Amino acid sequence: MNIRKENSTNNINEIYWKENCGIGFTLSLIGGRWKINILSYLLNEEKLRYSELKNRLIGISERMLILKLKELEQDKLINRIVHPEVPPKVEYELTELGQSFREILILMDKWGEKNLKK
Amino acid sequence: MNIRKENSTNNINEIYWKENCGIGFTLSLIGGRWKINILSYLLNEEKLRYSELKNRLIGISERMLILKLKELEQDKLINRIVHPEVPPKVEYELTELGQSFREILILMDKWGEKNLKK
DNA sequence: TATGGTACTAACAAAATAGTACGTATGAAT
DNA sequence: ATTCATACGTACTATTTTGTTAGTACCATA
């Protein structure tokens, strides 16, 4: 899905920090442009359809949305719920693991809101 | 220092989320491969020289270290203290703003340590 | 038969981030 | 005169991330 050069310095570094440092591991799951926003919306609204996420994540391309949803699913932070209907209906929700980010997300949001508008 | 295309979608998106969302703002300051580790070491050890940071941040290149230190300095998260000596001695420490990340860093570390080794 | 809405996929291209290799200044010690 | 340590700077390249465009499948409805 996302091809990485196995033995690039970049990749080696990422793996090292992921495996040897809590913060590194955490950041590897929620870093990047969109993931944390996805988690945040799901935290507030419980369950959202693909299209609903797309509307909330202003500026995101479909490719990015799918990509990030897949990564989050692989990392067991969200569940994908398919309703066998036409037109298709797919919903996303946080797993328990995903929910366990709550505190961190809230803190990050608070910190940001406070320091953003100073 | 870091040339960004002003009107790339990427840049526009980053700015949008930085300005309109606490989490987006927070992540813009501490996201990426190294920043949060730098902050974390400075949190634990108060004041560190350039070379001390370099030794702790396993795998980092000098270019990246300088780059990230500069960005952190620009964002007012760290202070750069120059001792006019030869050979040079430069120390880095957290500003008050930088220190205010303490809770977030601790939470992220805890979360990571817990879920890393499951 | 044509159109529409939803949730995608895949090929490609642009942009951004990260890494490599080498160079600089200073004065102290050899 | 040469070497050394420290904290950088710069040009270049590789890698990764992000965005663009143009599709697909499904069945329901007009």
Side-chain angles (χ1 to χ4, degrees), chain B residues 34 38 50-51 53-55 57 60-70:
Chain B
W34 301 107
I38 296 175
Y50 172 80
S51 53
L53 281 168
K54 196 170 61 141
N55 293 333
L57 295 164
I60 199 170
S61 65
E62 303 212 38
R63 178 172 131 62
M64 274 299 111
L65 179 50
I66 294 284
L67 199 59
K68 295 306 159 182
L69 286 172
K70 275 196 179 166

Side-chain angles (χ1 to χ4, degrees), chain A residues 21-23 25-26 29 96-97 100-101 103, chain B residues 106-118:
Chain A
C21 160
I23 286 184
F25 180 69
T26 303
L29 296 187
E96 237 180 277
L97 187 61
S100 71
F101 269 111
E103 276 182 276
Chain B
I106 290 174
L107 265 188
M108 285 181 76
D109 189 46
K110 264 195 206 158
W111 193 98
E113 290 297 344
K114 181 175 167 196
N115 297 103
L116 169 55
K117 56 181 75 146
K118 73 94 241 290

Side-chain angles (χ1 to χ4, degrees), chain A residues 101-117:
Chain A
F101 269 111
R102 167 171 260 117
E103 276 182 276
I104 293 178
L105 295 186
I106 290 175
L107 265 188
M108 286 182 76
D109 188 47
K110 265 195 204 158
W111 193 97
E113 290 297 344
K114 181 176 167 194
N115 297 103
L116 170 57
K117 56 181 76 147

Side-chain angles (χ1 to χ4, degrees), chain B residues 93-110:
Chain B
E93 64 175 9
L94 294 180
T95 60
E96 235 180 276
L97 187 61
Q99 309 238 17
S100 70
F101 269 112
R102 167 170 261 117
E103 277 182 276
I104 292 178
L105 294 186
I106 290 174
L107 265 188
M108 285 181 76
D109 189 46
K110 264 195 206 158

Side-chain angles (χ1 to χ4, degrees), chain A residues 4 9-11 13-14 16-27 29-34 36-37 40-41 56-60 77 97 100-101 103-105 107-109 111-113 115-116, chain B residues 4 9-11 13-14 16-27 29-34 36-37 40-41 56-60 77 97 100-101 103-105 107-109 111-113 115-116:
Chain A
R4 281 190 147 244
T9 306
N10 187 322
N11 195 42
N13 281 340
E14 173 156 12
Y16 175 84
W17 287 94
K18 215 164 165 168
E19 289 179 351
N20 291 287
C21 160
I23 286 184
F25 180 69
T26 303
L27 208 59
L29 296 187
I30 61 173
R33 170 93 80 258
W34 302 107
I36 216 176
N37 293 304
S40 173
Y41 280 119
R56 282 160 180 73
L57 295 163
I58 293 175
I60 200 171
L77 299 184
L97 187 61
S100 71
F101 269 111
E103 276 182 276
I104 293 178
L105 295 186
L107 265 188
M108 286 182 76
D109 188 47
W111 193 97
E113 290 297 344
N115 297 103
L116 170 57
Chain B
R4 280 193 145 242
T9 305
N10 187 320
N11 195 42
N13 281 340
E14 173 156 11
Y16 175 85
W17 287 95
K18 214 166 167 165
E19 289 179 349
N20 291 287
C21 160
I23 286 184
F25 180 69
T26 302
L27 208 60
L29 296 187
I30 61 173
R33 169 94 78 257
W34 301 107
I36 216 175
N37 293 303
S40 174
Y41 281 118
R56 281 159 180 72
L57 295 164
I58 293 175
I60 199 170
L77 300 184
L97 187 61
S100 70
F101 269 112
E103 277 182 276
I104 292 178
L105 294 186
L107 265 188
M108 285 181 76
D109 189 46
W111 193 98
E113 290 297 344
N115 297 103
L116 169 55

